[in-house]
Amino acid sequence: MALKIIHSHCPTCKTKIGLRLLFVPDEILRCPKCGQLLVDSGKRNLLGILLFFAGFLSIVGLQHYYGQNLIRDLVILVVSVVAYGLVRKLNITKKDFIIRNMDTNRTSYIDQADWNEIVENNKGKEFRFEIIEKF
C-alpha cells in the first residue's frame, strides 16, 4: 500500500483524495463520494516537484549572494508550494469500461475503441477478459 501524504480535491464534489508523493505513471483514481474517474498525471507530478525544488534552490542561491531575508525566503517557499499544488491537481477522464483480465486478475479502464480492438485481437482464441462495469 502506498503512503498518501499529498491530498487533492475532486473537481466535481470537492472530496479530499490522497495521492502518492513520488513520481508514478498516469494513475486513474475513483472519487469515493461521487464515483468520478480522475487521472493523476505523472508528468504533472514531476513538473510540480521540479517547481518546488527550483523554489528551494532559488532560496539557497539568494541567501548565498544577498544574505538571509526571512520574508523573501518565506514568500518564495509559499509560492513554490502553491505552484506545486496548482500543477498537481486531478483531471476528469472519460472511460467507457472497467475490465478485468482473468489470468492476472488486473483491472483496467478502457474506451470503446480499445475494447473493440481487444475483441478483434482475440477472435478464435479463448477470451480472458470480462467487463466489470460500464459507464
Side-chain angles (χ1 to χ4, degrees):
M1 181 157 169
L3 181 63
K4 297 187 177 183
I5 298 172
I6 306 294
H7 289 78
S8 188
H9 296 280
C10 174
T12 310
C13 66
K14 307 300 183 209
T15 302
K16 193 184 236 186
I17 299 172
L19 303 174
R20 293 184 188 181
L21 181 61
L22 299 176
F23 178 76
V24 292
D26 290 355
E27 181 179 23
I28 297 178
L29 306 167
R30 178 174 264 181
C31 177
K33 187 174 181 184
C34 68
Q36 187 74 273
L37 293 179
L38 306 167
V39 130
D40 182 19
S41 175
K43 291 179 184 177
R44 291 176 69 119
N45 183 12
L46 182 61
L47 178 63
I49 290 171
L50 289 175
L51 284 173
F52 178 75
F53 281 121
F56 180 73
L57 289 176
S58 66
I59 289 172
V60 171
L62 288 171
Q63 282 182 356
H64 178 70
Y65 287 113
Y66 299 110
Q68 286 187 329
N69 185 342
L70 185 62
I71 295 172
R72 177 196 65 210
D73 297 344
L74 285 175
V75 167
I76 293 172
L77 185 64
V78 167
V79 167
S80 64
V81 168
V82 167
Y84 174 74
L86 290 175
V87 168
R88 182 85 198 266
K89 66 181 181 177
L90 296 171
N91 295 325
I92 298 173
T93 185
K94 302 290 184 203
K95 297 293 180 183
D96 297 324
F97 303 112
I98 299 177
I99 64 168
R100 181 174 63 92
N101 184 339
M102 289 184 265
D103 293 333
T104 62
N105 209 21
R106 184 171 173 238
T107 60
S108 301
Y109 298 90
I110 63 170
D111 297 321
Q112 181 67 46
D114 296 333
W115 177 251
N116 293 339
E117 185 178 329
I118 290 170
V119 170
E120 185 68 32
N121 289 339
N122 287 307
K123 280 189 177 176
K125 300 177 189 174
E126 185 179 359
F127 198 68
R128 303 297 300 163
F129 295 94
E130 69 175 342
I131 296 176
I132 296 174
E133 186 176 342
K134 292 181 182 182
F135 295 105

